[in-house]
């Protein structure tokens, strides 16, 4: 079975890295990446024998590339600068070949200045080092997701591009970077399904409060929230007017804008190709200061929870009265009609008695979405 054409090398690197981790399930990874075990073990054996060069197509590229491993320090630094013009000396230092030594980052700064090379974004050297703190000690404990605004494309007949981003909180691994034509549920859900099929399910996701992430009704649920909860994923939202709640994703958006989104793209297809290439570089090559100048892939592992192709049934307590929500989001109970949210249309909810006589909770899975007070007169 062939690899995807657009990002062959990046997918091979990612697969090999994950497959070589302790206790990894190679055959499960094969299923998620859509390749046969025979193909997987071929690339694993080549990587073990020849390293990164072993992942190249042998008919297209030689095993040795002298231009990429110059013995002269200045040539190596200038070569890295040409490849990564937005990266400062500290990041370039982590990528220097071993045969040119390990000079201080100030030496690299001097080489760049001597050759008239201006780092396009040089605030890195002025900022304090990032604090190495992880709110979640394991990958997939929390994913942050949002849209990075929108921008016009060169072909004005094309819709605007709305980049959909998903980031793992622990590793800063970019799980998704998709060029969407809008921010509607029917555009977001298929992209998230692709992510879930490859990387598995997280324990929790956090997103903004606006659509399609949250409901406009206080305490209500959006259709996207309902779907995620059916998958067993806990959903939380950032505090209104507090972007620092998703600070790691906001920082990722800054890097994305600085290094990629300043360009002009013909259409969504052109934009997606550039995003695929940049995401591979960000995950696999770009050193992150909070990760000890290692790329995010060094910290990420796929989730052990696989994506179910069919939603599991909801189980409620034996004493609950289970009702189906109508197409406009209402339920009928004891002769009363109560609106519980359009996002729950077609779903089953439980009517559960509380400690107060005549008062019932309306529960979806484990979340109380409304209360019914039979002590109040009917409207």
């Amino acid at each position: 079975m062939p690899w995807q054409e657009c990002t062959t090398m990046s997918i091979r690197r990612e697969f090999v890295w994950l497959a070589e981790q302790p206790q990894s399930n190679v055959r499960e990874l094969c299923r998620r990446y859509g390749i046969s075990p025979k193909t997987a073990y071929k690339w694993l054996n080549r990587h073990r024998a020849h390293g990164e060069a072993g992942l190249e197509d042998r008919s297209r590229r030689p095993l040795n590339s002298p231009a990429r491993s110059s013995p002269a320090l200045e040539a190596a630094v200038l070569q890295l600068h040409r490849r990564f013009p937005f990266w400062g000396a500290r990041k370039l230092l982590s990528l220097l070949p071993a045969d040119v030594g390990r000079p201080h980052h100030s030496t690299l700064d001097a080489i760049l200045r001597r050759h008239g090379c201006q780092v396009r974004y040089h605030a890195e050297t002025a900022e304090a080092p990032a604090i190495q703190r992880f709110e979640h000690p394991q990958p997939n404990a929390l994913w942050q997701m949002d849209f990075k605004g929108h921008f016009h494309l060169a072909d004005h007949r094309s819709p605007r591009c709305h980049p959909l981003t998903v980031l793992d909180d622990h590793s800063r691994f970019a799980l998704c970077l998709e060029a969407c034509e809008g921010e509607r549920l029917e555009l977001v859900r298929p992209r998230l399904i692709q992510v879930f099929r490859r990387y598995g399910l997280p324990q929790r996701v956090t997103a903004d409060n606006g659509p399609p992430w949250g409901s406009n009704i206080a305490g209500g649920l959006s259709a996207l929230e309902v779907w995620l909860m059916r998958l067993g994923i806990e959903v939380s939202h950032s505090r209104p007017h507090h972007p620092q709640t998703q600070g790691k994703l906001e920082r990722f958006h800054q890097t994305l804008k600085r290094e990629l989104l300043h360009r002009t793209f013909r259409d969504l297809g052109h934009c997606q190709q550039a995003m695929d290439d940049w995401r591979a570089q960000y995950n696999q090559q770009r050193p992150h200061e909070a990760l000890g100048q290692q790329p995010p892939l060094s910290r990420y592992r796929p989730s052990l929870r696989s994506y179910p192709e069919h939603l599991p049934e909801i189980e409620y307590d034996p004493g609950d009265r289970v009702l189906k929500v109508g197409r406009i989001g209402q339920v009928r109970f004891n002769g009363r009609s109560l609106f519980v949210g359009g996002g729950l249309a077609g779903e089953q909810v439980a009517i559960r008695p509380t400690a107060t006589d005549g008062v019932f909770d309306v529960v979806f899975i484990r979340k109380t979405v409304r209360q019914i007070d039979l002590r109040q007169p009917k409207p």
Side-chain angles (χ1 to χ4, degrees), residues 9-21 29 33 47 52 55 139 167-168 170-175 198-199 279-288 291 293-302:
M9 278 299 298
S10 64
I11 293 178
R12 286 175 188 169
R13 292 192 197 101
E14 185 176 290
F15 175 86
V16 167
W17 174 269
L18 298 176
E20 290 183 338
Q21 300 309 307
L29 285 173
Y33 278 75
H47 183 261
E52 182 91 356
L55 299 181
L167 196 75
D168 177 60
H170 168 78
S171 63
R172 279 77 163 180
F173 186 85
L175 299 132
R198 168 153 297 180
Y199 300 111
R279 187 177 82 94
Q281 182 191 98
Y282 178 89
N283 282 337
Q284 301 170 19
Q285 294 178 282
R286 187 182 190 276
H288 199 296
L291 304 178
Q293 296 298 1
Q294 295 297 312
L297 183 59
S298 67
R299 293 288 185 96
Y300 185 70
R301 304 290 183 274

Side-chain angles (χ1 to χ4, degrees), residues 67-97:
R68 295 185 61 186
S69 57
S70 171
L73 175 61
E74 291 198 6
V77 173
L78 295 175
Q79 183 182 26
L80 286 173
H81 173 73
R82 285 191 294 269
R83 290 176 59 195
F84 310 112
F86 296 96
W87 296 5
R90 289 183 175 87
K91 284 183 169 55
L92 296 180
L93 177 62
S94 66
L95 297 183
L96 275 179

Side-chain angles (χ1 to χ4, degrees), residues 8-9 12 43 46 53-62:
T8 301
M9 278 299 298
R12 286 175 188 169
W43 292 114
R46 287 191 184 180
L55 299 181
E56 298 281 353
D57 290 321
R58 292 181 176 177
S59 61
R60 297 183 181 180
R61 184 174 182 177

Side-chain angles (χ1 to χ4, degrees), residues 35-328:
I35 61 172
S36 67
K38 180 180 178 181
T39 300
Y41 284 109
K42 176 185 74 173
W43 292 114
L44 285 170
N45 291 333
R46 287 191 184 180
H47 183 261
R48 290 163 185 162
H50 304 288
E52 182 91 356
L55 299 181
E56 298 281 353
D57 290 321
R58 292 181 176 177
S59 61
R60 297 183 181 180
R61 184 174 182 177
L63 295 177
N64 297 319
S65 181
R68 295 185 61 186
S69 57
S70 171
L73 175 61
E74 291 198 6
V77 173
L78 295 175
Q79 183 182 26
L80 286 173
H81 173 73
R82 285 191 294 269
R83 290 176 59 195
F84 310 112
F86 296 96
W87 296 5
R90 289 183 175 87
K91 284 183 169 55
L92 296 180
L93 177 62
S94 66
L95 297 183
L96 275 179
D99 57 358
V100 299
R102 270 289 180 268
H104 192 266
H105 67 82
S106 60
T107 302
L108 275 67
D109 279 327
I111 292 173
L112 294 174
R113 287 195 301 269
R114 185 161 57 249
H115 288 269
C117 301
Q118 297 293 326
V119 179
R120 299 185 192 178
Y121 180 79
H122 48 77
E124 175 192 23
T125 58
E127 293 178 350
I131 299 175
Q132 297 191 18
R133 175 177 62 86
F134 297 96
E135 296 180 1
H136 295 81
Q138 300 295 332
N140 309 305
L142 173 66
W143 290 2
Q144 301 182 17
M145 59 179 65
D146 203 354
F147 284 97
K148 175 61 181 86
H150 56 78
F151 55 88
H152 290 281
L153 302 167
D155 184 355
H156 295 290
R157 295 172 298 180
S158 298
R160 291 180 296 184
C161 178
H162 300 250
L164 172 64
T165 60
V166 182
L167 196 75
D168 177 60
D169 182 88
H170 168 78
S171 63
R172 279 77 163 180
F173 186 85
L175 299 132
C176 175
L177 179 55
E178 289 286 325
C180 299
E181 63 182 48
E183 301 181 4
R184 303 183 301 277
L185 172 65
E186 60 268 23
L187 298 174
V188 173
R189 183 151 53 189
R191 267 79 173 189
L192 291 182
I193 289 176
Q194 292 176 358
V195 175
F196 293 154
R197 283 173 174 163
R198 168 153 297 180
Y199 300 111
L201 301 179
Q203 296 176 24
R204 181 164 69 96
V205 299
T206 183
D208 200 358
N209 293 275
W213 316 113
S215 172
N216 292 326
I217 301 173
L221 296 174
S222 68
L224 184 60
E225 286 180 282
V226 169
W227 175 63
L228 292 172
M229 292 173 66
R230 288 287 306 272
L231 290 172
I233 301 172
E234 182 183 348
V235 183
S236 60
H237 296 281
S238 58
R239 294 171 57 196
H241 312 298
H242 286 75
Q244 62 270 29
T245 307
Q246 292 185 273
K248 293 172 185 175
L249 189 61
E250 293 294 328
R251 183 64 182 85
F252 174 78
H253 285 172
Q254 293 177 21
T255 303
L256 174 64
K257 180 179 180 180
R258 182 177 70 246
E259 297 188 5
L260 182 67
L261 299 187
H262 65 282
R263 296 169 47 183
T264 300
F265 302 99
R266 295 188 304 272
D267 50 32
L268 286 175
H270 180 212
C271 187
Q272 186 62 61
Q273 180 63 60
M275 287 181 174
D276 288 341
D277 294 340
W278 186 86
R279 187 177 82 94
Q281 182 191 98
Y282 178 89
N283 282 337
Q284 301 170 19
Q285 294 178 282
R286 187 182 190 276
H288 199 296
E289 194 162 1
L291 304 178
Q293 296 298 1
Q294 295 297 312
L297 183 59
S298 67
R299 293 288 185 96
Y300 185 70
R301 304 290 183 274
S303 172
L304 298 178
R305 299 174 58 205
S306 297
Y307 171 73
E309 295 298 330
H310 301 284
L311 290 176
E313 295 293 330
I314 304 174
E315 296 184 1
Y316 290 113
D317 295 340
D320 293 337
R321 179 174 175 182
V322 179
L323 301 177
K324 184 176 181 180
V325 181
R327 61 183 180 85
I328 60 173

